[in-house]
Amino acid sequence: FIHLTRDPLVLFPSTRRLWQSLDAVQGCQLPRHEHLDQYVLETLPRMYAGFEKQRAELDPARIVDIRYEDLVADPVRVVEGIYQQLKLGDFSQVRAILETYVRNQQPYETNRHELSPDVSAEVFRRWQRYFEQYGYSGSDQ
């Protein structure tokens, strides 16, 4: 199991945007987003409470935690680490393919999101456990 974490101050607006996109493409009713922020703020702690409960039942050798920021910064090194930690086999067999793929992705840029100070403070307050558990300071943007 590969568990990917991301800076919550980037994760929040990205998740909000995802829900807006899903509503626009797949919604059968008019999208209404007046409570979307509250929904996103409530969902992550609930999801992680379930995740942490189930994680305790996993063999620690079968799960690896990866920070999105590390993956973006050095994808080949991070994937190699995943291969080693999860004992997925000989990474050298996929290294060249992955390096070529990464080279071809170089022009890609992730979306940039700006949060107001009030929203940032609310994300930090509501998701503080996530910030602490996964090593985000609240100023990692």
Side-chain angles (χ1 to χ4, degrees):
F1 186 86
I2 301 168
H3 173 235
L4 187 69
T5 61
R6 190 173 188 188
D7 177 354
L9 295 177
V10 176
L11 179 60
F12 175 79
S14 178
T15 302
R16 180 173 51 190
R17 183 172 184 218
L18 170 67
W19 279 110
Q20 290 168 338
S21 298
L22 288 172
D23 279 352
V25 175
Q26 299 176 351
C28 295
Q29 299 173 350
L30 292 174
R32 289 184 170 72
H33 305 293
E34 57 268 4
H35 302 292
L36 182 58
D37 284 1
Q38 288 306 311
Y39 176 76
V40 173
L41 286 167
E42 292 168 4
T43 302
L44 183 124
R46 195 169 56 236
M47 179 182 73
Y48 267 88
F51 170 70
E52 292 301 331
K53 182 179 176 186
Q54 293 174 27
R55 181 185 187 131
E57 299 169 8
L58 287 175
D59 175 355
R62 303 207 36 129
I63 185 167
V64 61
D65 293 295
I66 302 298
R67 289 172 62 112
Y68 174 83
E69 298 80 11
D70 296 338
L71 180 63
V72 170
D74 194 348
V76 175
R77 180 188 59 77
V78 169
V79 173
E80 183 176 22
I82 292 169
Y83 264 71
Q84 290 170 354
Q85 189 167 342
L86 296 179
K87 297 178 176 58
L88 296 178
D90 185 6
F91 181 72
S92 67
Q93 294 179 358
V94 296
R95 177 185 292 279
I97 296 166
L98 183 57
E99 288 172 343
T100 299
Y101 175 79
V102 168
R103 259 193 317 278
N104 290 335
Q105 300 305 309
Q106 289 303 319
Y108 179 79
E109 289 188 30
T110 59
N111 294 318
R112 309 256 325 138
H113 304 282
E114 295 292 327
L115 292 179
S116 71
D118 289 346
V119 172
S120 293
E122 185 67 3
V123 169
F124 185 78
R125 185 181 75 76
R126 303 274 295 269
W127 291 2
Q128 187 171 0
R129 180 169 164 77
Y130 182 99
F131 276 92
E132 293 169 356
Q133 187 156 356
Y134 298 107
Y136 292 97
S137 69
S139 60
D140 295 328
Q141 295 195 75

